[in-house]
Amino acid sequence: EPLNIVVTIPVLKDLAEQVGGPYVHVTSLLSGYENEHTYSPKPSDLVAVRKARLLFEVGIGLEVWVSSVVKNAGSSSLRVVTTSKGIALLRDTEHEGAAHAGEGGERGNPHIWMDPENAMMMLRHITEALSQVDPAHATEYRANQAAYLRKLEHLQGELSERVARVADRRFIAHHPAWPYFARRFGFQIVGTIQPQSGSEPSALQLHSLIATIKKGRI
């Protein structure tokens, strides 16, 4: 039987499936259309978590609702793995008014996977956890990890080449999800349309952004 895995968001589902292959059955609690900050878990989420051996989360306060789901599921065999451990976090105060904070006190922007090198670190956490709970297939998990790491390295090289031709490295972001991408590839975020998740920008914010765009020729 495949190992039952639960993840919080679709990007983690993809990473877990890349490593686990046919040996895992991965359920993502979010489909990608919900707001991961304010998500309200469903009864079916509790059932999925209760059946799972592993739960992968990003952490850094992105999924503040996870701890209550895990507690209510009441599974003694479930292991929760935070995939952001070891990643150099960027503070988020400039865009959201207050940085996200995880349960361990880590503070920063949670959209870490927008940098391919961070995605590599997340992949390693997933591989290690799968190998520990299912040592019989550890060799396959590590081989799958190596293959996907090569793909991510190729992607990073390709992106670096493509953006090298971009002279003006400034941009306006819709939501503060791009700082890690900007840091990796040398871009500058000069404004954010939706500074707080789930909120509409005020008329004053929009007016200020428009003035910034015109003045700086963004």
Side-chain angles (χ1 to χ4, degrees), residues 99-178:
H100 289 81
E103 284 190 18
E106 319 94 315
R107 300 181 70 81
N109 187 299
H111 303 92
I112 53 172
W113 60 90
M114 299 298 284
D115 176 348
E117 286 205 15
N118 290 347
M120 292 178 200
M121 177 70 80
M122 297 166 81
L123 197 75
R124 291 185 181 102
H125 286 309
I126 289 169
T127 305
E128 193 59 36
L130 286 173
S131 300
Q132 286 174 5
V133 300
D134 183 21
H137 296 114
T139 303
E140 289 92 334
Y141 296 145
R142 293 206 161 90
N144 291 342
Q145 174 193 252
Y148 201 58
L149 284 174
R150 285 193 293 272
K151 288 184 180 180
L152 287 171
E153 286 166 2
H154 176 76
L155 171 68
Q156 182 166 323
E158 184 185 354
L159 282 170
S160 296
E161 285 178 20
R162 291 175 67 180
V163 302
R165 299 190 291 270
V166 181
D168 189 347
R169 296 301 185 94
R170 303 167 301 162
F171 71 88
I172 304 285
H174 167 253
H175 178 71
W178 295 87

Side-chain angles (χ1 to χ4, degrees), residues 41-85:
K42 307 182 293 293
S44 59
D45 295 337
L46 279 177
V47 174
V49 171
R50 197 172 290 137
K51 291 179 179 176
R53 283 293 308 279
L54 290 168
L55 186 153
F56 294 118
E57 64 167 4
V58 174
I60 328 169
L62 181 70
E63 316 101 324
V64 292
W65 40 270
V66 162
S67 55
S68 63
V69 173
V70 170
K71 185 180 177 183
N72 292 332
S75 170
S76 58
S77 61
L78 177 71
R79 182 180 162 199
V80 179
V81 178
T82 302
T83 57
S84 60
K85 284 185 178 175

Side-chain angles (χ1 to χ4, degrees), residues 36-37 59-62 88-101 106-112 173 175-180 183 189 192 194-197:
E36 64 268 16
H37 305 274
I60 328 169
L62 181 70
L89 302 179
L90 287 168
R91 287 189 65 80
D92 212 19
T93 49
E94 180 184 346
H95 301 297
E96 296 204 54
H100 289 81
E106 319 94 315
R107 300 181 70 81
N109 187 299
H111 303 92
I112 53 172
H175 178 71
W178 295 87
Y180 294 98
R183 176 173 70 177
I189 303 168
T192 305
Q194 187 192 48
Q196 286 187 313
S197 188

